[in-house]
Amino acid sequence: MAAACWCRCRGSDYRTWNMSIDEVPSNNTAGSCSSGVGPFTVQGPDGNLGAEEAGRASSLTLNYRKKLRAPICVKLTVFICLAVMVASGVPELVLWKKVHQQLVGQIEHRLMVLSTLRQEQLQDYLLSEADKTQLIAIRIVISNYLNNVSTGNKTLAKLDLQMAISVISDFMNAAVYDSKGHLVLETEENVFQPRIEEASINTVVQEIPNLQYPVETSNGWMYTLSRGIHKGQKLIGQLMVSVNATKLVSLVYDRTGLQETGELLVGIPDGPDKIRLLLPAMQKPNVIVLPYKGAMAKAINGESGILKERNYRGARVIAAYRPAGFLHWGLLAQMEIKEAYASVWSVRLVILVTFSALLFVGALASLGLAKAFTSPIIELGKAAFALGQGDMRTRVKKGSSCFHDEFSNLKDAFNGMAHRIASHQYILEHEVSERTSDLAHAHDGLAREVEERKRIELELEKAKDIAMAADRSKSEFLANMSHEIRTPLNAIINFTELCLDTQITQEQQEHLEYVQFAAQHLLRLITDILDFNKIAAGKLEMEEIQFSLYEQLEQSLSVLAARAWKSGLELCCDIHADVPDQLLGDPGRLLQIFVNLVGNGIKFTKKGEVIVSVTVNSKSADDVELLFAVKDSGLGIPQTKQSLLFQAFSQVDSSTQRLYGGTGLGLAISSKLAAAMGGRMWVESEGVEGLGSTFSFTGRFKLFPSNSSMNFLMFKGVRALVVDDNSTGLRILTDLLKSWNIIADGVMTTEAAKSALELGESSGHKYNVVLLDMWLGGVEALDLVEYIRARPDLLQKYASDAEVNTLYPVEPDSDLALPSAHCLSQQCSSKSTPDRLRYGPNLKVEIYTKDNVSSAIIMLTSVNHMESSRCKELGLPFHTSKPIRRSLLNRVLRSALGFEDKMSHDEGKTSKESKKLNKRLHVLIAEDNPVNQRVAIKLLHKWGHTTVLAVDGAEAVERSAKEEFDIILMDVQMPVCDGFEATAKIREYERSHNRKITPIVAMTAHAMMGDGEYCIAAGMDYYISKPLNAKKLQDLLQYVATSSLRVYSASPSHKNSMSMW
């Protein structure tokens, strides 16, 4: 048999004590209970509990009594209150509904009656004023004068008009206009306009006069009435009367029947979305326009009724609306709901008070009933609480044996349970003592573990600080290294650019362009090192600027062509015709990837070729995804090693690094850059030497409208023969020429070229130009050159279709027809129309001679300049290096075909002239490095600016205080006073002396993350990195010259370039 008791102490959870009767000790010494007066004393194995514990148990019993009583009382109270609510609430609710309905009906009826009365008063007033204007408009003297103004008596007509106005008290002044809008009569001068538009006269042709909005003047409220004056059915003029609006204002602003918050509004439609009030609102005089909605809109639309809404002040109102009679107006009588329904709310308050009183009486009755039921329960709760606090002698008193009920049975069960609990107290205390000892030992072990963890965390924190310090040191080292290398590069790049602007030969220009491009490539390599640091820190940023994809690829291959030529490799670039040229993206990062991949292809290929191809992967209206591939015929990469390629500092084989060099960073950086462009990079290779590898990556770019300056239509009808022993290069060049509207054929040997030339001559389709690779099968192509010189009749000078049709037109009924496109692969028949028939019977086709046939040969050379000299020795004026650059090939073709390159000359002239600034600037250069000083001064003087030099920041502050400059170029690192401190002093001087703010541009060789932000925070407007980019610096000066520097920086389209040029 088991029993249980639940007890609660100070809001704690009920605790359950379970005990079997069989476990009660046989002797009553341990755990015996006795009751007494005063504090309880518990007799246990270890002695008494003590008076303090017993007193605390007694005090807690009183608190528990209150808590135990609450639930039963609440239940009974809620039950009786619900009964009272149902019994009294339903009749009161029905009464409230009836009274509310009756009172609301009375209020709405009163508002409707009031709006009807005001509407009638307003209509009577307006009709009265209209009748008065009608009496004046039909006066005979005025009508006769308007009918014949030139011969009429103006004095008599004016007197008649003044008399008519004087008898009408509300009319102040009047004027009469003829049918053309000219003022002919007026009662007082300078009151009305001398002329009105004829359109205004046409609006008053109806019988209803026009009323202008009342205006408050020094003489009170006034408005103007306009009515047409007719002679029979003919409109001969217009009457305009200035009316005193006192009666109208009194009528609208009369609050009779509207109490304190009520008002009357008269609205006139003013367009499809707003309503103009006839008079300003009484509660808020500055409100004259309301939105076209709500009660006023219904009234204007001819409806009437009652509507509750929020007025122009945001207050809840009840409004009675109705149309304003014969006018397309709306009338609105409104009152605030809290004032209109005051009587309704008073009745509701009385009903609520009555209901609350009945509910309070029911609650008192329920409390009395609850007391009779809760007394035994409270007694049991008191005993249970004391027992739970450790008073094992606690027992409940039994009631009278005459009234034995369920509570008596509960008391007997409780006393038995208390006896069993006391017997087990000793056992429980012993077990608790043992468990406490075990916990103490566990606590000591846990404390030691916590101390160990704290020690480890402290060591980790120290290691973290050391790592962060090392990272900062690395960043500082990279920044200093970048600064030291960029400073000499600044001189190399910019002085090279200055040399390019001087008078030099074409070969010198090509050399300098390669120097310039190589220096920029070195700059990119430095940037690669910084990029790897940025990638590791997760701070890599991508630019989004316009660039030419073709030029980027061709320039990168031109620089790498020298390496390919030295290795005996063929370097080709295959760009599909549907690939767009002008894109928005990061050309520097794209070039960085290509230089790395193509350089690797050349490095690991002993013989064969390296092919760069570009195709369109997907395209939309705004952007394009391009697929780039670099295929070589080199060593190949085993599939087991391909996973190591894109990891930093890794090589396929350690011996490869010793043989070919390299840091192992290139592919890792390139893979990250491809991912930053919205694409990915992968490799395909069978691992067999000779089959090579193909590195592919995708990139997504935004499209930019193409504005190519190349004119391919001029090449229409040109026949070209391409001779190249490399099948890939031959295919790429032939496809390129065909895309330029050139009829191009390709052959791979000298004998095939001779056969093609002879076939063209015999079929009447002679070639106009020959593109000849300088080396065919390892042998110089001099044999073919001498063959063409010996037979110059094999080639023919080109004449466009437009020139032929202009000089020698063919009759419309002639049987002569233009030939179709000629291709050797199609084996044109002998019936093809020869050139003599194509050019007409009277045309003398100009042919080449031995002296000038060399101009029809374009030699394809390598980047070796010895071959360029060889072309000059052979008497070949035109040559271009491989890989082919489209822009250069286009210019050479036009020269070889005899086109005048006027377009390119004009465009170049326009481009140079557009770079000239409209304003000469006075520039302060703060720079301590002599080389950088020379570069900046040379560039600025070249562009026509004046300069002042300061060798440190202190001198720059002194110079800026003595004279004003248009812009200041401020170096960041200088002795005595650096750029940041100098900028702060200049800004402080400008503020204290109220001088205009001079734009300050920071020149820094640092390229680490955050350098630009430091410059802007120091008070500088922009920063430009070294080496100086002449184009960006010139654009910056142009913006300063046109006073648009600040405007440019605020443009949202230049978010990334807002502080850096």
Side-chain angles (χ1 to χ4, degrees):
M1 179 178 180
C5 176
W6 290 266
C7 60
R8 186 173 182 179
C9 176
R10 295 190 182 183
S12 61
D13 296 335
Y14 288 104
R15 297 173 183 174
T16 305
W17 300 81
N18 296 313
M19 181 179 293
S20 173
I21 296 179
D22 298 334
E23 297 175 355
V24 179
S26 58
N27 58 26
N28 295 330
T29 304
S32 61
C33 302
S34 61
S35 59
V37 181
F40 293 115
T41 302
V42 179
Q43 183 70 30
D46 296 330
N48 297 335
L49 292 176
E52 182 179 356
E53 291 290 336
R56 185 167 59 89
S58 178
S59 62
L60 292 176
T61 301
L62 298 178
N63 296 332
Y64 181 75
R65 186 178 208 180
K66 297 179 182 179
K67 294 182 180 179
L68 190 61
R69 183 188 304 154
I72 298 179
C73 293
V74 169
K75 292 178 182 178
L76 292 175
T77 303
V78 170
F79 175 77
I80 297 177
C81 288
L82 287 175
V84 173
M85 288 173 61
V86 173
S88 62
V90 173
E92 292 180 353
L93 181 61
V94 173
L95 176 62
W96 160 247
K97 290 292 184 181
K98 293 292 183 180
V99 173
H100 180 269
Q101 182 179 2
Q102 184 176 3
L103 292 176
V104 170
Q106 292 177 359
I107 294 171
E108 294 178 352
H109 176 71
R110 185 182 66 183
L111 277 178
M112 286 299 296
V113 171
L114 178 63
S115 65
T116 302
L117 178 61
R118 295 296 176 83
Q119 184 262 349
E120 292 176 354
Q121 292 175 351
L122 178 62
Q123 183 172 338
D124 291 343
Y125 172 78
L126 294 176
L127 289 175
S128 173
E129 299 301 310
D131 292 341
K132 294 176 183 179
T133 59
Q134 179 65 16
L135 292 176
I136 299 175
I138 62 176
R139 296 182 75 90
I140 298 174
V141 176
I142 297 175
S143 300
N144 291 337
Y145 178 74
L146 281 177
N147 195 36
N148 192 358
V149 176
S150 60
T151 60
N153 191 338
K154 181 177 181 180
T155 304
L156 182 60
K158 180 176 181 181
L159 181 60
D160 186 63
L161 179 62
Q162 291 175 344
M163 292 176 61
I165 294 299
S166 62
V167 299
I168 302 176
S169 59
D170 293 341
F171 288 3
M172 307 302 296
N173 295 290
V176 177
Y177 295 85
D178 60 13
S179 59
K180 299 298 183 179
H182 297 286
L183 179 65
V184 296
L185 294 175
E186 59 180 341
T187 58
E188 186 176 344
E189 296 182 354
N190 300 327
V191 175
F192 296 94
Q193 297 179 358
R195 191 179 186 282
I196 59 177
E197 299 293 335
E198 291 188 35
S200 301
I201 299 178
N202 295 331
T203 58
V204 297
V205 296
Q206 301 178 357
E207 293 299 326
I208 301 176
N210 287 346
L211 185 145
Q212 297 183 2
Y213 294 107
V215 179
E216 188 175 11
T217 65
S218 58
N219 297 327
W221 284 92
M222 306 290 291
Y223 66 89
T224 302
L225 276 176
S226 302
R227 174 183 286 276
I229 302 175
H230 297 79
K231 189 73 172 182
Q233 298 298 327
K234 179 181 178 183
L235 178 67
I236 62 175
Q238 176 179 336
L239 173 65
M240 189 174 293
V241 181
S242 177
V243 184
N244 188 341
T246 303
K247 293 182 180 179
L248 179 61
V249 173
S250 300
L251 176 62
V252 176
Y253 285 169
D254 187 7
R255 280 190 173 179
T256 302
L258 295 175
Q259 302 182 15
E260 294 296 329
T261 62
E263 62 180 336
L264 185 72
L265 300 177
V266 179
I268 303 171
D270 187 9
D273 56 350
K274 60 182 179 179
I275 299 172
R276 173 71 182 268
L277 296 180
L278 181 64
L279 290 173
M282 188 186 308
Q283 300 289 347
K284 200 171 183 181
N286 61 336
V287 176
I288 59 174
V289 177
L290 299 178
Y292 200 97
K293 63 178 181 178
M296 184 63 78
K298 292 178 177 291
I300 291 175
N301 294 334
E303 303 178 21
S304 60
I306 296 292
L307 183 66
K308 296 177 182 178
E309 61 180 2
R310 290 192 179 274
N311 64 359
Y312 55 87
R313 294 185 293 111
R316 292 279 297 171
V317 297
I318 178 172
Y321 58 90
R322 63 189 311 112
F326 65 92
L327 299 174
H328 191 53
W329 294 2
L331 185 141
L332 189 70
Q334 63 181 17
M335 294 176 58
E336 289 191 10
I337 290 180
K338 64 180 181 180
E339 183 181 27
Y341 288 174
S343 58
V344 178
W345 292 337
S346 298
V347 174
R348 183 177 64 179
L349 180 61
V350 172
I351 294 175
L352 290 176
V353 170
T354 304
F355 179 77
S356 300
L358 293 176
L359 191 62
F360 178 72
V361 172
L364 291 179
S366 66
L367 291 175
L369 182 63
K371 185 176 181 181
F373 287 97
T374 57
S375 296
I377 299 175
I378 292 173
E379 185 178 0
L380 284 172
K382 172 184 175 182
F385 184 80
L387 187 65
Q389 295 296 318
D391 188 359
M392 296 301 147
R393 298 182 302 168
T394 301
R395 302 292 184 273
V396 294
K397 296 181 180 180
K398 295 183 178 181
S400 175
S401 59
C402 298
F403 299 98
H404 191 81
D405 52 13
E406 288 79 1
F407 286 114
S408 299
N409 295 334
L410 183 60
K411 292 179 179 179
D412 292 339
F414 179 82
N415 290 334
M417 179 190 67
H419 178 72
R420 289 189 293 273
I421 290 174
S423 64
H424 283 276
Q425 178 69 22
Y426 175 75
I427 298 174
L428 291 174
E429 289 181 352
H430 179 71
E431 292 180 353
V432 167
S433 177
E434 291 180 351
R435 296 292 175 86
T436 302
S437 177
D438 295 339
L439 288 175
H441 291 296
H443 178 268
D444 294 338
L446 182 61
R448 288 191 297 270
E449 184 178 353
V450 170
E451 291 295 331
E452 182 66 18
R453 287 180 178 271
K454 289 182 178 180
R455 184 185 64 80
I456 295 174
E457 290 178 358
L458 183 60
E459 292 179 355
L460 290 176
E461 188 69 24
K462 292 180 179 178
K464 177 183 176 182
D465 295 339
I466 294 173
M468 292 180 66
D471 184 68
R472 286 193 298 269
S473 299
K474 180 183 69 173
S475 299
E476 292 175 0
F477 168 75
L478 291 175
N480 292 331
M481 181 189 68
S482 171
H483 180 272
E484 294 301 325
I485 298 178
R486 285 170 181 264
T487 298
L489 275 180
N490 182 36
I492 296 173
I493 293 176
N494 287 284
F495 276 119
T496 303
E497 184 172 352
L498 290 172
C499 289
L500 287 172
D501 291 337
T502 60
Q503 296 294 331
I504 56 178
T505 64
Q506 181 178 358
E507 185 175 356
Q508 289 173 336
Q509 182 176 2
E510 188 175 357
H511 292 174
L512 289 174
E513 287 177 352
Y514 286 155
V515 171
Q516 184 183 41
F517 190 78
Q520 292 173 348
H521 177 59
L522 178 58
L523 179 62
R524 295 189 192 97
L525 293 180
I526 299 170
T527 306
D528 286 347
I529 301 174
L530 301 179
D531 285 343
F532 182 75
N533 184 60
K534 294 178 182 178
I535 292 173
K539 298 179 180 179
L540 180 66
E541 292 185 353
M542 303 293 291
E543 289 184 342
E544 187 171 302
I545 59 176
Q546 177 197 359
F547 70 97
S548 171
L549 176 64
Y550 296 170
E551 292 182 2
Q552 287 294 318
L553 294 179
E554 291 170 356
Q555 286 182 359
S556 61
L557 295 182
S558 296
V559 173
L560 296 171
R563 291 175 54 190
W565 176 80
K566 291 180 180 178
S567 301
L569 303 177
E570 187 78 16
L571 185 59
C572 305
C573 180
D574 185 10
I575 304 177
H576 285 210
D578 59 344
V579 174
D581 180 28
Q582 298 297 322
L583 301 175
L584 281 177
D586 195 330
R589 302 300 186 188
L590 183 62
L591 180 62
Q592 184 176 351
I593 297 176
F594 269 109
V595 169
N596 182 267
L597 296 182
V598 177
N600 287 344
I602 297 173
K603 182 192 303 182
F604 297 105
T605 302
K606 297 180 180 179
K607 63 178 180 177
E609 59 190 9
V610 177
I611 304 173
V612 178
S613 63
V614 186
T615 58
V616 175
N617 205 21
S618 63
K619 189 176 183 181
S620 64
D622 299 326
D623 56 11
V624 62
E625 185 181 50
L626 300 179
L627 173 61
F628 303 93
V630 179
K631 177 175 175 44
D632 61 66
S633 57
L635 299 176
I637 303 172
Q639 293 185 357
T640 56
K641 300 292 185 178
Q642 292 178 9
S643 60
L644 302 175
L645 289 176
F646 303 109
Q647 298 179 9
F649 307 106
S650 65
Q651 296 279 4
V652 174
D653 190 354
S654 59
S655 61
T656 303
Q657 184 174 4
R658 292 192 299 270
L659 181 61
Y660 297 102
T663 61
L665 285 177
L667 289 177
I669 294 177
S670 299
S671 177
K672 296 293 184 181
L673 293 178
M677 293 180 183
R680 65 186 184 92
M681 180 176 290
W682 68 95
V683 62
E684 299 173 356
S685 178
E686 297 181 4
V688 179
E689 185 174 357
L691 297 180
S693 308
T694 301
F695 283 84
S696 304
F697 69 96
T698 58
R700 184 166 292 277
F701 305 90
K702 292 184 179 179
L703 293 174
F704 193 86
S706 179
N707 188 23
S708 177
S709 60
M710 293 187 183
N711 182 11
F712 300 136
L713 293 178
M714 66 173 61
F715 296 136
K716 185 176 182 181
V718 173
R719 294 188 180 92
L721 179 64
V722 182
V723 186
D724 194 340
D725 59 347
N726 183 272
S727 59
T728 303
L730 179 64
R731 176 185 59 79
I732 293 174
L733 182 54
T734 304
D735 292 343
L736 175 61
L737 294 177
K738 289 179 179 179
S739 68
W740 289 358
N741 298 317
I742 297 177
I743 303 171
D745 298 319
V747 295
M748 298 180 64
T749 63
T750 302
E751 296 302 323
K754 294 178 181 179
S755 300
L757 291 171
E758 292 175 355
L759 181 59
E761 192 273 337
S762 62
S763 63
H765 298 287
K766 297 181 181 180
Y767 291 101
N768 305 114
V769 66
V770 176
L771 288 86
L772 176 61
D773 191 3
M774 191 166 186
W775 297 92
L776 296 176
V779 180
E780 194 173 45
L782 181 60
D783 181 34
L784 184 57
V785 174
E786 295 300 331
Y787 177 78
I788 294 174
R789 284 176 175 172
R791 298 189 58 184
D793 57 323
L794 294 176
L795 298 178
Q796 177 180 290
K797 288 191 175 181
Y798 173 71
S800 65
D801 290 341
E803 294 172 344
V804 172
N805 293 333
T806 300
L807 298 175
Y808 303 96
V810 179
E811 298 297 332
D813 57 350
S814 174
D815 295 334
L816 300 178
L818 295 178
S820 59
H822 172 67
C823 180
L824 289 177
S825 61
Q826 297 177 353
Q827 296 298 328
C828 299
S829 65
S830 59
K831 297 181 181 179
S832 299
T833 306
D835 291 333
R836 59 184 178 83
L837 297 180
R838 171 177 177 261
Y839 296 141
N842 299 324
L843 176 61
K844 294 181 179 179
V845 179
E846 185 178 358
I847 62 176
Y848 286 106
T849 64
K850 293 182 178 181
D851 297 331
N852 61 5
V853 72
S854 298
S855 62
I857 302 175
I858 300 176
M859 189 64 74
L860 305 179
T861 66
S862 68
V863 293
N864 186 4
H865 294 289
M866 297 294 294
E867 295 185 2
S868 301
S869 302
R870 178 61 175 161
C871 290
K872 294 179 182 180
E873 293 175 1
L874 296 174
L876 299 176
F878 302 116
H879 62 87
T880 181
S881 62
K882 298 171 63 177
I884 299 299
R885 296 181 65 175
R886 297 187 176 211
S887 58
L888 182 58
L889 178 62
N890 183 275
R891 292 196 298 269
V892 173
L893 272 174
R894 286 188 290 184
S895 299
L897 293 171
F899 295 145
E900 291 184 2
D901 201 6
K902 294 181 179 180
M903 181 180 299
S904 298
H905 176 72
D906 294 340
E907 289 176 355
K909 181 178 179 181
T910 303
S911 176
K912 291 180 180 179
E913 290 177 352
S914 64
K915 294 181 180 179
K916 295 181 179 179
L917 300 178
N918 297 326
K919 176 184 175 183
R920 175 178 293 182
L921 301 179
H922 191 43
V923 184
L924 173 62
I925 302 174
E927 173 63 62
D928 62 322
N929 186 279
V931 176
N932 293 339
Q933 293 172 2
R934 187 66 176 170
V935 169
I937 293 174
K938 279 285 187 181
L939 288 175
L940 293 174
H941 286 180
K942 171 188 171 183
W943 298 329
H945 304 300
T946 59
T947 60
V948 173
L949 179 64
V951 297
D952 54 51
E955 186 177 353
V957 175
E958 183 181 354
R959 293 278 188 179
S960 64
K962 290 181 179 179
E963 56 180 314
E964 293 188 1
F965 295 92
D966 296 310
I967 189 170
I968 300 176
L969 302 180
M970 182 75 70
D971 186 20
V972 173
Q973 289 186 335
M974 291 184 294
V976 182
C977 177
D978 62 18
F980 299 121
E981 185 179 354
T983 300
K985 292 181 179 180
I986 292 174
R987 294 298 186 220
E988 180 62 29
Y989 181 83
E990 290 172 344
R991 285 192 295 268
S992 61
H993 291 76
N994 197 21
R995 284 178 53 176
K996 71 178 185 67
I997 302 298
T998 303
I1000 300 178
V1001 179
M1003 297 189 301
T1004 174
H1006 286 207
M1008 297 299 294
M1009 182 68 64
D1011 290 340
E1013 288 75 4
Y1014 295 151
C1015 296
I1016 302 304
M1020 301 177 183
D1021 300 281
Y1022 278 78
Y1023 80 96
I1024 184 168
S1025 62
K1026 296 178 183 177
L1028 292 177
N1029 187 306
K1031 178 63 171 61
K1032 291 183 179 181
L1033 179 60
Q1034 189 176 20
D1035 290 342
L1036 176 60
L1037 296 176
Q1038 177 65 47
Y1039 279 106
V1040 175
T1042 56
S1043 301
S1044 59
L1045 179 62
R1046 303 287 180 177
V1047 177
Y1048 180 83
S1049 66
S1051 174
S1053 65
H1054 295 85
K1055 177 181 178 183
N1056 295 330
S1057 60
M1058 201 168 166
S1059 59
M1060 179 177 180
W1061 285 75

